[in-house]
Amino acid sequence: MPEPPDRWKWFSESRFGLFIHWGPYAALGRGEQVLYREHLDQREYAEAACAWRPCSFDAERWADVARRAGVKYAVLTTRHHDGYCLWDSRHTDYTSAAQAAKRDFVKEFAEAFRAAGLRVGFYYSLGDWRIPGFWEGPGRNPEGWGIFRQYVHDQVRELLSNYGRVDVLWFDGAWPHTAEDWGAQEIIEMARGLQPEILINNRFGPSKEEPGMGEVNRSLKLGDFGTPEHEITADPNRLWESCQVSTWRLWGYTAGERWRGADVLLDTLCQSAHKGGNLLLNVGPDAEGHFPSKFVERALRIGRWLQSHGEAIYGTQGGDVTEFVTRGWQTVRDNCLYLIFRFWEGGRELRLADLMTSVCRATLLGSNQELEFAQEEGELILRGLPNQPPTDLFPVIRLECSGRPESNEWGKDRLWQGDP
Ligand code: GLC
């Protein structure tokens, strides 16, 4: 992957961000797409949305949880596919500012997160399910499409003009239209004019020059970073961020949904770092504006782990140096190789294949216990490991090497990563 420009270094150094899906759909408690999935009546949905009044929303509390969870940036759904806007838009009155809520949530979010030292991102759905021109598209309704498209451009301009520095612009909902239909190039130029350092994702829809509609929503060509969703797949050509739910499936608040455990969530973070990308972990706050307590519990546990193990994640690069796939993940920073264990066997000794660089010191993070080791011909033997791990999440061993950790030929060629 080409080296990203300095202004974007913060993004890969962060490794961990928070995605927040919030809107009037939270009151129905069946995910962010309930309007479409249940074919609800548009008028009734809009009436309920206009009456939505989340009294407990407190952006500072959100920011506090985010900071303690160890995320470095957060992306809020300023508008989802239902079209309801969480800010004071001059271009529509279907907003939290003009309707019952009477608040500019985007402003409150941006200010509180910035004050907590976090970077700020805006998710914006290009598609708006209320608008016939959106469904009919430029072919069937050129005039309606033209008006709608102008509305989209105007709103993006507004979001990037009125809320101070915006670090990430996260488009979505381009389907079923192409990047040309949306005027993506124009949007990008406008965004860069208003926010020269901004990072823009790749969800403009495929460009007409791109083969097929295989990658729904995404453009191979446009966008500063890739957005694998529900999967952790490296984008070979640009920065990338895997977005993942913290429940089993849905992004918006869903009553009774099952939650993934803190270990499973941490596993997605470590796997993303191992592959050289970020994790954008989602929370769907409830109708009142609370982060669900199950999420907070998990997020804070991960945050506590990061306090003593964060050096294995932040600012690291992916690494596949030793044969480690059955145990967990590895990352590299400068001359250090970090071994992140998904589980702890409790054995006294551990053998690792393929590391060619000499190890100077081996330390178990958390307890900071130094480990004895021996190295012979591409095999590292660590000794004196404690029976009990120093953390109830993932133990990490830091190997400080004499140079940048390198594999032998076998390791470089790693043919098969196998079932894990
Ligand atoms: C999908 C969904 C959308 C969600 C997004 C998050 O595109 O349509 O509901 O916001 O993924 O990546």
Side-chain angles (χ1 to χ4, degrees), residues 19 21 32-33 80-81 123 170 172 203 229 243 251:
F19 212 174
H21 273 73
E32 78 289 357
Q33 299 191 1
H80 206 267
H81 312 332
Y123 166 109
W170 218 103
D172 192 29
R203 296 207 181 170
E229 178 176 316
C243 48
W251 303 88

Side-chain angles (χ1 to χ4, degrees), residues 240-414:
W240 59 273
E241 170 198 76
S242 165
C243 48
Q244 299 274 342
V245 290
S246 44
T247 54
W248 273 17
R249 189 62 185 86
L250 296 165
W251 303 88
Y253 177 73
T254 307
E257 247 274 67
R258 292 183 194 279
W259 292 79
R260 298 180 183 182
D263 49 1
V264 175
L265 300 177
L266 180 59
D267 196 52
T268 56
L269 174 60
C270 298
Q271 187 179 355
S272 303
H274 163 83
K275 292 183 176 171
N278 289 11
L279 169 71
L280 188 66
L281 180 65
N282 183 68
V283 60
D286 67 17
E288 283 299 306
H290 297 292
F291 281 179
S293 58
K294 293 228 169 74
F295 174 80
V296 175
E297 236 170 69
R298 286 157 172 77
L300 296 186
R301 243 182 107 193
I302 292 173
R304 281 193 296 275
W305 181 86
L306 281 164
Q307 273 173 14
S308 39
H309 300 86
E311 62 172 277
I313 301 292
Y314 303 124
T316 58
Q317 290 174 335
D320 204 354
V321 182
T322 71
E323 180 65 67
F324 198 63
V325 69
T326 46
R327 300 178 192 280
W329 310 111
Q330 28 186 345
T331 56
V332 173
R333 186 168 49 186
D334 302 323
N335 290 351
C336 291
L337 175 65
Y338 294 93
L339 304 171
I340 306 172
F341 293 77
R342 292 161 129 177
F343 56 91
W344 196 247
E345 285 167 56
R348 302 289 289 166
E349 199 177 281
L350 179 75
R351 286 170 178 263
L352 280 176
D354 301 340
L355 175 63
M356 286 313 282
T357 320
S358 323
V359 173
C360 312
R361 187 185 299 163
T363 313
L364 185 60
L365 299 190
S367 64
N368 285 329
Q369 181 191 341
E370 281 208 25
L371 303 171
E372 279 173 44
F373 63 90
Q375 220 172 350
E376 20 184 274
E377 286 180 31
E379 185 171 52
L380 176 73
I381 304 151
L382 293 160
R383 299 208 169 92
L385 276 73
N387 224 237
Q388 292 302 316
T391 163
D392 60 345
L393 283 171
F394 299 172
V396 174
I397 292 178
R398 178 183 61 218
L399 301 175
E400 293 169 64
C401 301
S402 60
R404 206 179 161 74
E406 294 286 349
S407 268
N408 58 13
E409 284 309 308
W410 176 267
K412 282 183 191 147
D413 222 29
R414 219 175 286 295

